[in-house]
Amino acid sequence: MRRFTEALGHPQRKFPSIHVAGTNGKGSVCAMLEALYRGNGYKTGLYTSPHLVHLGERVQVNREMLSDQAIIDMIQRLKPIAETISAGEPDEHPSFFEFMTAAAFLRFAEAEVDLALIETGLGGRLDATNVLDPELSIITSISLDHTELLGDAIDKIAREKGGIIKPGKPVLIGKLADEAEKAIRQIADEHGSKVFSIRERFAKPDELPETNLAGSFQRWNAGVALYASEILSKQFPISKHDGLQNIDWAGRWQRIETKDRTLILDATHNPEGAEMLEENLQKLIGEIGQKPVIVAGTLGKDRGRSLMEVAGRYANEIHLLAPAQDRALSTDNLAELIPQKFQGPVFKDTIERLFSAPYRCTVGSPGDTIVVTGSLYLIGEVLQHLQGIPDSDLQDKI
């Protein structure tokens, strides 16, 4: 990635940025920061992944995503450069994610954004985005996920996430376990980077800012975003904070009203996320007075186990789906992970049968509340079918 950006003239150096890593919450924090700064008149860049429906969701300027044609034009510019730097070394050819990262950097540089909010893809230390020299690094949370790549212990994962910390630049940490915080502080000390902690800024949970996104964990994310804006107040002063009440972040406890059912779409892609899902389900049951129908699908057995444990406690009935991904857990394997004490019906279904445009849903019965949860890829596929958007082969072309 360094060779790629060097060949492009280092576009990532032409705009200031905030770099965000973490097991959970990094996308939400980026969306919150973007809303805060745009609400105060700044021209913003937002780079997140994965996308839900449109590939251009990953690269946005003032929340306007790249069009398919703009992506094609950008890739045509990047392709000969990628081929030049990897000549004779096929393994050195930039990956899909590296192409998208380079496209984002170019887009933000050419748009002359005032500030870019950049989410890491995986980990941090070796992530394609880590060619940045940000104004602030943020570590939102650290838990066991992607252990085959990042390590099988919290401190190992913390060191991978902490790889985004840059010499002399401040770092803000969210609610971290003691061993994770110790590892991050050690890295920061080695780099001469000042550490700011969300727990030091908000000693009590009731002091955290409110946000329109559901769940107490989103208030912690909002606290991280607000504290980040305070840390950078000299470089990027803001006066209004109402952006935290207007976060547009699809697939995170997103409510959709169909003709006769309420749909809630909520990405829950790892064990820590399952804990957050449980909190929201408890509150939902208190609101509607009954258990919802749960539709679920995910990638990987560990994620499936934590997801099914929660679904088994709070679902009236469960519908299992397999996202259209190579790593997707089959409905048979997912069914095996449902707790034996669950007494409700279990269905092995397909997205095509359950969801169609315009916003039609055949799950459950009229009047039911349907919670669709699991992989972000699943949430994206459901949204695509609800909106009647045809499949795109743009990603394959890249």
Side-chain angles (χ1 to χ4, degrees), residues 4-319:
F4 202 8
T5 53
E6 181 179 8
L8 294 170
H10 295 293
Q12 78 280 11
R13 297 179 183 176
K14 297 177 182 178
F15 54 85
S17 62
I18 297 175
H19 200 190
V20 186
T23 305
N24 287 295
K26 56 185 182 292
S28 295
V29 167
C30 283
M32 291 172 175
L33 284 166
E34 192 281 332
L36 276 175
Y37 284 110
R38 181 164 46 87
N40 280 271
Y42 290 89
K43 188 175 187 178
T44 61
L46 178 65
Y47 182 56
T48 59
S49 62
H51 60 281
L52 287 175
V53 179
H54 301 282
L55 182 57
E57 294 169 27
R58 296 178 181 233
V59 183
Q60 302 187 39
V61 173
N62 277 348
R63 288 312 297 260
E64 292 186 10
M65 67 181 185
L66 277 182
S67 67
D68 284 358
Q69 187 58 52
I71 294 171
I72 291 170
D73 293 343
M74 186 72 77
I75 297 306
Q76 288 176 340
R77 289 174 57 189
L78 294 172
K79 204 170 181 182
I81 297 171
E83 291 170 352
T84 297
I85 66 172
S86 62
E89 300 179 78
D91 289 344
E92 293 299 312
H93 193 281
S95 67
F96 162 75
F97 186 73
E98 288 164 342
F99 260 97
M100 290 307 300
T101 302
F105 291 163
L106 276 177
R107 173 73 179 114
F108 298 158
E110 292 172 357
E112 298 182 340
V113 300
D114 298 316
L115 183 63
L117 300 315
I118 310 290
E119 176 190 6
T120 61
L122 176 65
R125 182 176 65 92
L126 298 177
D127 192 71
T129 61
N130 203 27
V131 295
L132 291 168
D133 185 18
E135 304 303 309
L136 173 69
S137 299
I138 299 176
I139 314 293
T140 58
S141 71
I142 294 172
S143 61
L144 293 175
D145 196 24
H146 295 294
T147 54
E148 72 283 2
L149 295 173
L150 303 180
D152 58 1
I154 291 294
D155 62 327
K156 292 179 182 178
I157 295 176
R159 292 191 175 280
E160 291 299 319
K161 307 284 186 187
I164 69 169
I165 298 172
K166 299 299 186 298
K169 295 296 181 69
V171 56
L172 169 59
I173 58 174
K175 275 180 36 174
L176 304 184
D178 289 345
E179 55 189 321
E181 181 168 338
K182 181 179 179 181
I184 295 298
R185 287 185 179 277
Q186 183 177 347
I187 295 170
D189 185 60
E190 293 168 356
H191 286 77
S193 300
K194 185 174 181 179
V195 177
F196 295 86
S197 169
I198 188 67
R199 284 194 176 100
E200 295 169 358
R201 171 63 178 83
F202 299 100
K204 299 176 181 178
D206 58 4
E207 296 175 352
L208 292 163
E210 298 285 349
T211 176
N212 63 297
L213 298 183
S216 63
F217 58 94
Q218 292 292 12
R219 290 190 64 189
W220 282 102
N221 288 335
V224 169
L226 181 60
Y227 196 15
S229 71
E230 293 170 353
I231 295 167
L232 297 178
S233 59
K234 290 185 178 180
Q235 301 102 303
F236 306 99
I238 66 173
S239 58
K240 298 185 297 181
H241 303 103
D242 54 350
L244 291 176
Q245 297 296 330
N246 299 288
I247 310 299
D248 179 13
W249 201 224
R252 282 74 174 181
W253 207 253
Q254 175 186 2
R255 289 178 181 259
I256 297 174
E257 296 297 334
T258 70
K259 181 180 178 181
D260 54 8
R261 293 165 173 82
T262 297
L263 287 181
I264 298 176
L265 308 184
D266 190 53
T268 305
H269 58 276
N270 54 40
E272 185 180 31
E275 295 178 12
M276 302 171 187
L277 172 67
E278 182 162 19
E279 176 189 316
N280 280 340
L281 285 171
Q282 289 174 345
K283 185 176 180 181
L284 175 67
I285 291 171
E287 292 172 355
I288 65 177
Q290 62 184 28
K291 290 184 176 182
V293 176
I294 292 183
V295 179
T298 193
L299 315 184
K301 196 169 184 177
D302 288 342
R303 296 175 174 189
R305 180 177 292 106
S306 59
L307 184 62
M308 289 299 96
E309 287 175 355
V310 173
R313 285 195 288 273
Y314 297 98
N316 178 43
E317 63 183 59
I318 298 174
H319 293 252

